[in-house]
Amino acid sequence: MRGSLVSKSKVLIAAVGLALLSPPLASALEVPEGPVILVVSGKVGQTNVGDEAHFDKAMLASLGQHETITRTPWHDGVIGFSGPLVRTILEAADAEGENIRVVALNEYAATVPVSDFEDYDVILAMQANGQALRVRDQGPLFVIYPFDQHPELLNEEIFSRSVWQVARIDVK
Ligand SMILES: Nc1nc2c(c(=O)[nH]1)N[C@H]1C(S)=C(S)[C@@H](COP(=O)(O)O)O[C@H]1N2
Ligand SMILES: [Mo]
């Protein structure tokens, strides 16, 4: 029976080795419980519905809220916007791509280089001055660049990337 003891310990060592190599389960995306307000599709490593990463409001809120206090071409005065950083959303979905396609409820879409989210704290705003953005307020999600902090962002190219009523991000 000595041989079988050795092979059992070999199996145990192999199992412990595999467990150490496997990614921790805690990093897996939970399944949304509420209405899905954002679908991240394309080149994503983390999925929870088919081959896509779906997020409800609570899941987006749990990614951490970043506040951007700025004026925009679409709002009166200075507004405190809050929502998750786009780079945090892309990390949560384990996105691997150079560009994302940001698609709105009305099918307007803009292609945005991922470098924008490394260079700037761009958020997917869920709230303005503490109030949830409704679809009629160009919500539920509005891409907000920090215009007042980085005036070089005030140009037509960035305005075209400032998609409101965002529904989907497709990672290219
Ligand atoms: N959902 C949505 N977001 C959008 C657009 C759109 O048509 N739908 N147009 C984009 C473009 S091309 C620009 S220049 C600005 C336009 O803002 P304006 O229509 O207030 O000039 O918003 C951007 N965000
Ligand atoms: Mo535009």
Side-chain angles (χ1 to χ4, degrees):
M1 289 294 130
R2 178 174 258 224
S4 97
L5 261 181
V6 169
S7 65
K8 267 184 194 156
S9 60
K10 276 187 182 158
V11 167
L12 186 63
I13 288 164
V16 169
L18 270 179
L20 290 174
L21 287 171
S22 308
L25 282 171
S27 76
L29 269 186
E30 60 186 289
V31 175
E33 281 171 20
V36 171
I37 57 171
L38 179 70
V39 171
V40 185
S41 58
K43 292 187 181 174
V44 292
Q46 285 284 333
T47 60
N48 54 6
V49 178
D51 56 2
E52 300 174 330
H54 290 205
F55 295 87
D56 62 16
K57 214 172 174 178
M59 289 168 69
L60 287 178
S62 78
L63 295 179
Q65 302 295 289
H66 179 94
E67 190 177 38
T68 299
I69 301 170
T70 189
R71 286 164 288 192
T72 84
W74 310 282
H75 299 88
D76 292 328
V78 177
I79 310 266
F81 295 97
S82 60
L85 288 160
V86 175
R87 63 172 171 272
T88 306
I89 297 169
L90 297 179
E91 279 163 20
D94 196 10
E96 296 282 352
E98 299 270 296
N99 294 283
I100 62 173
R101 188 109 178 118
V102 183
V103 186
L105 289 172
N106 69 346
E107 296 298 318
Y108 171 83
T111 299
V112 186
V114 168
S115 58
D116 273 17
F117 312 117
E118 291 150 11
D119 297 344
Y120 299 101
D121 291 340
V122 184
I123 65 172
L124 218 44
M126 305 170 70
Q127 294 192 346
N129 291 340
Q131 297 291 307
L133 289 173
R134 300 163 300 177
V135 172
R136 76 190 77 155
D137 312 313
Q138 297 163 307
L141 301 168
F142 195 142
V143 174
I144 297 288
Y145 282 78
F147 293 108
D148 280 7
Q149 293 71 31
H150 299 277
E152 72 272 18
L153 293 170
L154 291 165
N155 62 73
E156 187 67 27
E157 187 170 55
I158 297 299
F159 296 159
S160 74
R161 296 173 184 172
S162 300
V163 182
W164 57 80
Q165 295 178 332
V166 172
R168 172 182 291 268
I169 291 175
D170 193 29
V171 183
K172 301 289 188 186

